[in-house]
Amino acid sequence: MSNIGNETTPGDGAADDPPGHDDVREVEIYLRADPGPILAWVDTLCEGPAPLAVRTHGGMVTRRGTLALRLPGGGVGVCEALLVESAASGFSSLCFTGEALPWPDDLSCARAAVSAIGCEVRCNAAAWQPGDDEDDGWIAVTRDGERAIRWRSA
């Protein structure tokens, strides 16, 4: 899980931050799976249809849209979702950005994806900060368990 807009702090007078900006969270996971099972899982999370518009640019296929995700304990959280197919080393990137998400962090989302799809999922163990080594702090999650890995995702 990471906060968007880490360059300013609450109350610092940043004029560009929209109201509630500090409440926006991002959950991102990388799945070793074809888009079909990923999209089918995303569809099961939604209240209503999960329309993700397809765009191809420079050989990269992305799907983006606004979703209404069912939240634990009831209710719905509206978020932006982005699926980038084959984003890194045979993994597709799936990112959810919103104020209310069904998972508290990337690892919880990865566990849910593994449970639903059965594929290997990778995520950051903690929120990435500027200056962090991008290869460290990754967790690989499979049905066999979780393990810390060093992974160059880009």
Side-chain angles (χ1 to χ4, degrees):
M1 172 180 71
S2 61
N3 288 323
I4 296 176
N6 290 344
E7 291 155 14
T8 59
T9 56
D12 69 356
D16 344 327
D17 286 349
H21 180 76
D22 294 327
D23 298 331
V24 175
R25 294 185 307 117
E26 179 182 277
V27 167
E28 183 176 20
I29 59 175
Y30 291 80
L31 306 94
R32 187 185 300 257
D34 292 328
I38 297 170
L39 293 169
W41 174 59
V42 169
D43 195 53
T44 68
L45 302 170
C46 295
E47 185 72 32
L52 294 178
V54 178
R55 181 174 177 210
T56 303
H57 181 72
M60 180 157 299
V61 178
T62 62
R63 298 167 192 264
R64 177 187 301 268
T66 301
L67 306 178
L69 299 178
R70 286 189 289 279
L71 301 173
V76 174
V78 176
C79 75
E80 292 297 316
L82 173 65
L83 174 65
V84 180
E85 297 178 21
S86 301
S89 307
F91 287 78
S92 292
S93 167
L94 180 59
C95 182
F96 299 95
T97 306
E99 291 182 17
L101 300 175
W103 318 276
D105 52 40
D106 295 1
L107 184 56
S108 298
C109 181
R111 289 173 179 149
V114 168
S115 177
I117 302 171
C119 66
E120 179 181 355
V121 179
R122 294 181 178 184
C123 66
N124 277 320
W128 180 86
Q129 299 294 324
D132 287 353
D133 184 341
E134 294 182 17
D135 298 345
D136 287 335
W138 289 92
I139 297 177
V141 183
T142 66
R143 290 195 173 180
D144 294 329
E146 301 169 10
R147 61 187 170 86
I149 61 169
R150 186 167 171 79
W151 182 46
R152 178 169 291 281
S153 61

